[in-house]
Amino acid sequence: MMRRFLLIATPYFWLLALFLVPFAIVFKISLSDAAIARPPYMPQFDWAEGIRAFISQLDFENFVFLTEDDLYWKAYLSSLKIALISTVLTLLVGFPMAYGMARAPTEWRPTLMMLIILPFWTSFLIRVYAWMGILSNEGYLNSVLMWLGVINEPLVILNTNIAVYIGIVYTYLPFMILPIYSTLERLDGSLNEAAEDLGCSRFSAFWLVTVPLSRPGIAAGSFLVFIPALGEFVIPSLLGGSGTLMIGKVLWEEFFSNRDWPVASAVAIILLLILVIPIVLFQRNQQKQQEAEQ
Amino acid sequence: MTVSEFEPWNDPEAKPLIHFQNVTKRFGDFTAIDDLTIDIYEKEFYALLGPSGCGKTTLMRMLAGFETPTEGTIQLAGQDIVGVPPNKRATNMMFQSYALFPHLSIWENIAFGLRREGMAKDKINDRVEEMLRLTRMEKFARRKPHQVSGGQRQRVALARSLAKAPKLLLLDEPLGALDKKLRQDTQFELMDIQEKTGTTFVIVTHDQEEAMTVASRVAVMDHGQIKQVATPAHIYEAPNSVYVADFIGEVNIIDGTASPNGEDTYAVKWCDNHAPLNAASPLPFSEGQKCHLAIRPEKVSISADKPEGAANMVQGKVHDIAYLGNISTYYVELPTGAIIKAQTANTRRIARRSFTWEDTVWLSWTATAGVLLAE
Ligand SMILES: Nc1ncnc2c1ncn2[C@@H]1O[C@H](COP(=O)(O)OP(=O)(O)OP(=O)(O)O)[C@@H](O)[C@H]1O
Ligand SMILES: [Mg+2]
């Protein structure tokens, strides 16, 4: 009895400690007012005045403010757009790589897998800085292209959205490749043979059999890229320019430049709500996949 | 009713539908198909029999276009088909692993090939319904393959390969997972389809009874080679080697040396203390040549008293009895220690059986009952 209780209680406790409590704290801050104090918001809970007086000072002012200044919803929309486009780009790059890995001779596969994971062994920040070196006007890419005579003027890539896309695709590629690879690897090759036997060309067999059967992997990979890309902060601030508007950057500025913790918290709460939708979809997808395998 | 003989392989004018010419297939340094030359004629029901790993599936896969021969040529209706992709061949294959599409319902699985042909919707409907009826899967049409039993999956795979009514149908163990009754029904359905549509069938089976029932000819394979190709009756009555005799049905093999003692008859010396056995053989054997006498158990009579005037007789003791319902097999131990199997029909109730364990009995057979084999 006790053991069963512990078994069920553990994940709930985890959720409570690492998600619900922080969420409640941030939510409370989002309902407060900014103040020149430490911490920089009002009201603070005071035992003497009691909980009623405390709650009566909380309000939704900051959420209303988010709707009034169009910076915020523009940042949300632009983040969604960037996350969506980079997810599609990552899929376009990742799928062929996963497919190639799954069709490679068995003895090569561990090595290929290693190569995919290898970049994680160096710091993420260093890798993004390296891209600055590659993409800048005097960077390696431009030098090589000019040396080859392909271009006369350096291409302006760094500090544009293109650099952000490149950064996101590069960073999150393994998260796309690995789930797709694991579904493709399990696919029975005789299914494609059966499709060809029944009149499909190689390509239509791929389209009618391989692609539908790798859908769970594609979905998992897309969510794993889309969800972190939406709130991405480091890549747009290092590779993006003044024109790159992403909610992660806005959030950072509210917290650290403006020191307006309540508005920053409100921004975070809304971001979370936007993310909950794809996360729930992702969960349902996972569940469906498991049911299908039984 | 008149039955005209269907024996195109005996007709020198007949052109084979499929012609394998010295085909060899190697995987690395392993030879899966070894210098194989065979002809398969139109409207044949060609059964491939052989132990696991002897190359049956590989042979089929070369016909379907999934493997290319390392050496030799394969012709379909006189045309070299090596290099023609599977989707351009008028063949359909039923895979040993079924290879049903897991993301499609059973209905859609069967319709898959028809849709690729661009057949009209209502025609596809009719054809799929017909196939479902044939394989008795109507009730399961909406289910996914993982929601039906193993035998049902096998029927779906069969239905899917039949749906396009191909010129050549390759069935890799099509009925192995079905119960006996359903298997027999399906065998007759297959023969019926074959008669109606004139499709040529190549079928792999581990069930020799099945091969006997459906096949126009049976090919016995071993280690990538064809040991014998003949009609079921011929391969049973006149196997060309001990291997084939042993593979098809039960057989007693008695080793000895031959010496001619008449026109096409030989005395087989098999044991120092016994009189030689008499056997007829159209194949010539020289004096003292090593030979093997193969006799089917049902051709050996068993009796309590010494039979009069039998060409061959030996005495022994009943060692074991296998009761199989309609027949019984007696394992009779000879004084030499060898065991000879004799089969009799159980025309009486089991309680009234004439012999029991340890009884001394006489075995006898005629001179033409056995086949004399050189190898
Ligand atoms: N792709 C391959 N690579 C290497 N060896 C192979 C390959 N395909 C088949 N073989 C080998 O070729 C031989 C013949 O295989 P095949 O599948 O034709 O056997 P089979 O007669 O169909 O056997 P079964 O009755 O068990 O289905 C086997 O020894 C097998 O291991
Ligand atoms: Mg096989």
Side-chain angles (χ1 to χ4, degrees):
Chain A
M1 191 61 213
M2 192 61 200
R3 253 192 64 190
R4 261 191 66 186
F5 173 76
L6 275 178
L7 224 64
I8 298 170
T10 313
Y12 280 100
F13 177 76
W14 198 255
L15 194 70
L16 188 76
L18 294 177
F19 179 73
L20 287 178
V21 170
F23 179 79
I25 293 171
V26 172
F27 186 57
K28 195 225 110 185
I29 298 175
S30 75
L31 299 178
S32 313
D33 295 313
I36 304 185
R38 185 178 284 255
Y41 55 88
M42 291 272 292
Q44 301 297 326
F45 184 66
D46 190 341
W47 285 104
E49 286 177 37
I51 196 146
R52 227 162 233 277
F54 173 71
I55 288 177
S56 68
Q57 290 182 52
L58 298 176
D59 53 46
F60 283 92
E61 228 174 41
N62 298 315
F63 289 96
V64 176
F65 173 69
L66 291 190
T67 61
E68 284 165 355
D69 192 334
D70 61 2
L71 166 78
Y72 298 102
W73 64 264
K74 274 188 182 156
Y76 281 121
L77 276 186
S78 151
S79 299
L80 276 173
K81 193 187 104 192
I82 291 177
L84 211 64
I85 293 177
S86 14
T87 305
V88 172
L89 290 176
T90 317
L91 177 63
L92 291 179
V93 177
F95 193 95
M97 290 177 74
Y99 189 71
M101 273 171 75
R103 310 215 89 192
T106 330
E107 62 270 24
W108 288 18
R109 290 184 198 166
T111 316
L112 293 172
M113 180 80 100
M114 199 66 202
L115 289 175
I116 298 289
I117 301 172
L118 205 62
F120 283 118
W121 288 14
T122 48
S123 151
F124 163 59
L125 266 180
I126 292 178
R127 285 181 285 136
V128 177
Y129 272 117
W131 275 106
M132 292 172 77
I134 296 172
L135 298 177
S136 71
N137 285 6
E138 304 81 37
Y140 297 114
L141 181 67
N142 276 317
S143 327
V144 170
L145 288 181
M146 296 218 310
W147 178 72
L148 286 174
V150 182
I151 49 171
N152 298 322
E153 292 281 297
L155 294 172
V156 181
I157 300 176
L158 192 63
N159 302 330
T160 66
N161 278 0
I162 296 175
V164 176
Y165 291 135
I166 293 176
I168 295 180
V169 169
Y170 166 75
T171 309
Y172 293 107
L173 194 58
F175 296 109
M176 183 64 85
I177 292 179
L178 295 180
I180 295 180
Y181 168 71
S182 86
T183 53
L184 286 178
E185 195 204 12
R186 270 180 300 167
L187 277 195
D188 181 358
S190 65
L191 293 178
N192 285 57
E193 287 183 347
E196 285 179 50
D197 189 62
L198 292 165
C200 281
S201 64
R202 275 270 164 91
F203 179 76
S204 60
F206 171 80
W207 190 245
L208 290 168
V209 175
T210 311
V211 172
L213 287 176
S214 56
R215 222 165 40 202
I218 293 175
S222 299
F223 284 122
L224 288 178
V225 174
F226 179 79
I227 292 169
L230 187 62
E232 184 54 58
F233 157 70
V234 176
I235 295 171
S237 24
L238 292 183
L239 300 179
S242 51
T244 309
L245 193 57
M246 280 195 84
I247 200 66
K249 239 167 88 179
V250 171
L251 190 66
W252 194 87
E253 270 155 23
E254 288 297 345
F255 252 111
F256 296 102
S257 309
N258 294 352
R259 277 184 73 77
D260 192 340
W261 286 24
V263 167
S265 303
V267 170
I269 297 287
I270 299 289
L271 178 62
L272 188 80
L273 291 183
I274 295 175
L275 278 177
V276 160
I277 299 164
I279 289 173
V280 167
L281 282 178
F282 177 65
Q283 286 287 352
R284 288 221 343 232
N285 172 63
Q286 289 277 342
Q287 220 165 14
K288 255 177 41 197
Q289 192 187 336
Q290 264 168 15
E291 274 163 23
E293 275 168 16
Q294 271 158 17
Chain B
M1 200 176 84
T2 58
V3 182
S4 60
E5 291 283 312
F6 174 73
E7 289 183 339
W9 50 89
N10 286 337
D11 176 2
E13 295 288 295
K15 288 263 179 296
L17 179 68
I18 298 159
H19 176 62
F20 276 69
Q21 186 66 53
N22 301 102
V23 172
T24 296
K25 175 71 190 176
R26 289 192 202 94
F27 295 107
D29 51 12
F30 177 79
T31 307
I33 297 289
D34 189 3
D35 193 24
L36 189 105
T37 300
I38 53 173
D39 287 323
I40 300 174
Y41 293 86
E42 206 169 335
K43 299 188 185 156
E44 257 208 271
F45 215 126
Y46 196 89
L48 288 171
L49 234 64
S52 182
C54 70
K56 304 181 296 292
T57 299
T58 308
L59 188 77
M60 299 277 238
R61 288 173 59 79
M62 288 199 283
L63 274 173
F66 299 123
E67 308 279 1
T68 47
T70 317
E71 285 160 27
T73 58
I74 304 174
Q75 291 180 345
L76 183 73
Q79 307 245 302
D80 192 343
I81 53 166
V82 174
V84 177
N87 55 330
K88 297 271 164 22
R89 297 189 182 196
T91 63
N92 281 136
M93 174 151 167
M94 175 185 164
F95 287 71
Q96 195 170 8
S97 62
Y98 313 152
L100 298 176
F101 305 122
H103 58 300
L104 300 180
S105 72
I106 282 164
W107 199 96
E108 291 166 318
N109 261 283
I110 299 174
F112 191 91
L114 303 172
R115 289 200 172 141
R116 303 285 88 71
E117 276 182 348
M119 199 188 240
K121 266 239 164 65
D122 47 336
K123 272 199 169 166
I124 294 182
N125 273 335
D126 293 349
R127 185 73 183 153
V128 174
E129 294 304 327
E130 191 187 338
M131 288 299 118
L132 286 168
R133 224 176 10 256
L134 182 71
T135 49
R136 296 183 207 166
M137 290 295 293
E138 300 106 312
K139 271 188 273 171
F140 307 101
R142 302 277 148 228
R143 295 213 197 157
K144 293 275 172 68
H146 67 95
Q147 293 166 322
V148 299
S149 77
Q152 289 166 342
R153 276 200 281 277
Q154 193 167 37
R155 282 185 270 160
V156 177
L158 181 62
R160 189 179 67 178
S161 62
L162 286 170
K164 286 182 82 173
K167 243 168 103 175
L168 173 63
L169 196 53
L170 308 167
L171 306 175
D172 201 344
E173 292 189 41
L175 313 175
L178 305 185
D179 62 78
K180 191 165 174 161
K181 182 82 180 58
L182 190 55
R183 185 162 5 155
Q184 282 176 347
D185 289 352
T186 316
Q187 283 164 8
F188 285 115
E189 289 291 356
L190 284 182
M191 296 198 300
D192 210 37
I193 291 172
Q194 206 253 4
E195 224 145 84
K196 277 197 203 122
T197 61
T199 305
T200 307
F201 283 69
V202 179
I203 179 171
V204 168
T205 172
H206 276 297
D207 177 359
Q208 44 138 330
E209 202 177 308
E210 179 170 299
M212 296 296 198
T213 313
V214 298
S216 60
R217 279 193 301 166
V218 176
V220 179
M221 287 184 72
D222 184 32
H223 287 107
Q225 290 174 329
I226 295 271
K227 289 290 173 192
Q228 189 174 7
V229 186
T231 60
H234 192 258
I235 217 158
Y236 188 78
E237 299 290 344
N240 64 359
S241 60
V242 172
Y243 179 83
V244 173
D246 203 24
F247 198 83
I248 307 275
E250 288 198 68
V251 73
N252 298 300
I253 303 285
I254 300 170
D255 299 333
T257 50
S259 60
N261 65 354
E263 195 178 331
D264 284 347
T265 61
Y266 299 87
V268 179
K269 193 162 159 38
W270 63 289
C271 169
D272 291 336
N273 309 331
H274 282 81
L277 302 170
N278 295 304
S281 170
L283 297 175
F285 285 84
S286 55
E287 176 71 41
Q289 188 182 345
K290 264 202 157 52
C291 66
H292 314 272
L293 182 61
I295 318 153
R296 301 282 178 197
E298 73 274 10
K299 300 209 165 67
V300 179
S301 312
I302 180 166
S303 57
D305 305 318
K306 188 170 181 175
E308 289 299 318
N312 300 292
M313 54 186 133
V314 289
Q315 201 178 20
K317 216 165 52 183
V318 177
H319 178 75
D320 206 354
I321 306 173
Y323 175 71
L324 303 174
N326 54 341
I327 53 170
S328 289
T329 305
Y330 295 87
Y331 292 80
V332 177
E333 191 174 357
L334 303 188
T336 59
I339 301 255
I340 298 282
K341 286 172 278 189
Q343 239 166 32
T344 59
N346 289 327
T347 50
R348 296 171 167 208
R349 299 294 296 265
I350 188 167
R352 309 192 54 191
R353 190 156 61 187
S354 335
F355 320 104
T356 184
W357 286 267
E358 303 297 327
D359 279 359
T360 302
V361 292
W362 283 92
L363 300 176
S364 59
W365 60 92
T366 64
T368 50
V371 187
L372 212 50
L373 300 167
E375 50 159 351

